[in-house]
Amino acid sequence: MRLGVLDIGSNTGHLLVVDAHAGAAPLPAFSYKEPLRLAEHLDAAGAVGQAGVDALTEFTAQAMVVAEEKGCEEMLAFATSAVRDATNSEDVLHHVAERTGTTIEVLSGEDEARLTFLAVRRWFGWSAGRLAVFDIGGGSLEIAAGADEAPDVAWSLPLGAARLARDWFPAQAPDDDELRALRRRIRTEIARDAGTLRRGGVPHRAAATSKTFRSLARICGAAPSAEGHLVPRVLRAEDLTGWLPKLTAMSPEELTGLPGVSPSRSHQIVPGALVAEAVMDIFGLAELEICPWALREGVILERFDQMSVLG
């Protein structure tokens, strides 16, 4: 079966076309994406502005054309933090549905964490034991942990790299006092509910997914994406701590020149690194394994689980 998965993220709109069937890993067939940067284009009231609405509508319409051309039997369309938290979320989605005929489901933060966990669990398998999963998106940080396919704890925090860049670095690089304030804010948010994960026991394996973690791992020496997704990649706390002072001292141009960093996301690297460092420190993790599967794969896997039950 050929599926289209339309992911409206806080940074990017992404249509992933996959060939999949029960019992097999989803096989990517085609990818179409555009930078929407919705998390950075909210107005003072927290609403998606007209430019953002137009960009989302245009992208969705084009994605549906692509999906039809590629022979998709079914579309799974969902939105995450930027749309979820927008004060005009319902109006935006109604506008998109009217103009494109596409209904986009808004995932809760807990569902986002749960589905990402499912994907990572399937990737690493049962041998991972109790698994902890962290995902830094554009608008939010998702945390989940458990010993089964469904996590026993899963939650979301407003600590996405794009959101923090928008709120804390609106015009220029932060000074030392601003960086300390941001670091304190991040750590307070994460530590507030850290005990809900820690009470379940020390994880046997800790994993991270998302573009931010992949970029940080690449900066710290992990293999480039060109080597394929089966190559093991790790982000070590010691390496990240060593890189942070360098990252905060770099200009936007210097950040863009780093391996794994795209020009459109270079301004998100420092806040993303502060979140990653806080996660590893607060949960006592010496390293995080980078998982190539994430939310989109979790959505696909859950859909096929449902089809297997119904079939």
Side-chain angles (χ1 to χ4, degrees):
M1 181 184 200
R2 178 158 283 195
L3 283 175
V5 184
L6 184 62
D7 176 359
I8 305 303
S10 299
N11 277 310
T12 306
H14 190 172
L15 169 68
L16 179 65
V17 177
V18 298
D19 292 323
H21 60 85
L27 179 66
F30 189 78
S31 176
Y32 167 65
K33 57 186 176 181
E34 291 289 343
L36 300 178
R37 299 178 68 169
L38 296 177
E40 298 179 41
H41 293 93
L42 302 176
D43 63 23
V48 179
Q50 191 58 50
V53 174
D54 292 342
L56 173 56
T57 304
E58 181 179 347
F59 170 77
T60 302
Q62 184 57 36
M64 296 306 293
V65 171
V66 172
E68 182 177 333
E69 290 176 345
K70 298 302 177 182
C72 293
E73 292 182 51
E74 184 178 340
M75 284 290 294
L76 304 173
F78 63 89
T80 56
S81 176
V83 175
R84 178 171 69 233
D85 296 339
T87 55
N88 61 339
S89 175
E90 290 186 11
D91 292 338
V92 171
L93 295 177
H94 179 71
H95 177 86
V96 172
E98 271 198 333
R99 298 299 179 89
T100 69
T102 304
T103 300
I104 298 174
E105 176 188 1
V106 177
L107 295 179
S108 69
E110 183 177 342
D111 277 345
E112 194 175 340
R114 177 182 61 81
L115 289 165
T116 301
F117 182 89
L118 171 63
V120 178
R121 166 61 75 191
R122 293 279 177 92
W123 180 266
F124 286 118
W126 295 112
S127 64
R130 180 170 174 79
L131 178 66
V133 175
F134 305 91
D135 183 343
I136 303 171
S140 58
L141 163 70
E142 273 66 51
I143 300 172
D148 300 319
E149 289 209 325
D152 50 49
V153 293
W155 75 100
S156 178
L157 296 169
L159 297 176
R163 181 195 296 265
L164 294 176
R166 179 198 71 206
D167 293 346
W168 289 80
F169 311 163
Q172 59 187 19
D175 59 27
D176 289 344
D177 289 341
E178 289 169 327
L179 281 172
R180 279 193 295 271
L182 175 56
R183 188 174 185 271
R184 184 167 56 249
R185 153 79 192 287
I186 290 169
R187 287 169 176 260
T188 300
E189 287 271 3
I190 295 172
R192 183 175 295 121
D193 294 317
T196 61
L197 186 152
R198 293 167 59 86
R199 270 190 289 274
V202 176
H204 299 102
R205 206 159 186 172
T209 185
S210 77
K211 175 67 172 176
T212 295
F213 273 120
R214 291 197 303 271
S215 295
L216 292 171
R218 181 74 184 95
I219 289 169
C220 292
S225 58
E227 293 190 16
H229 63 271
L230 295 180
V231 175
R233 294 173 175 86
V234 172
L235 175 62
R236 294 181 176 84
E238 182 180 4
D239 294 337
L240 181 59
T241 299
W243 262 98
L244 256 171
K246 305 175 198 175
L247 295 176
T248 57
M250 286 183 176
S251 67
E253 293 74 22
E254 289 172 323
L255 289 170
T256 301
L258 292 172
V261 179
S262 60
S264 64
R265 293 187 186 230
S266 62
H267 62 300
Q268 299 178 22
I269 284 296
V270 170
L274 290 172
V275 174
E277 182 200 37
V279 161
M280 299 176 82
D281 189 12
I282 289 169
F283 291 105
L285 303 170
E287 65 180 33
L288 289 167
E289 296 182 67
I290 306 302
C291 179
W293 279 8
L295 178 59
R296 281 185 292 276
E297 287 77 13
V299 169
I300 295 166
L301 292 167
E302 183 172 70
R303 176 67 182 115
F304 269 83
D305 286 351
Q306 293 167 350
M307 290 175 65
S308 297
V309 170
L310 293 174

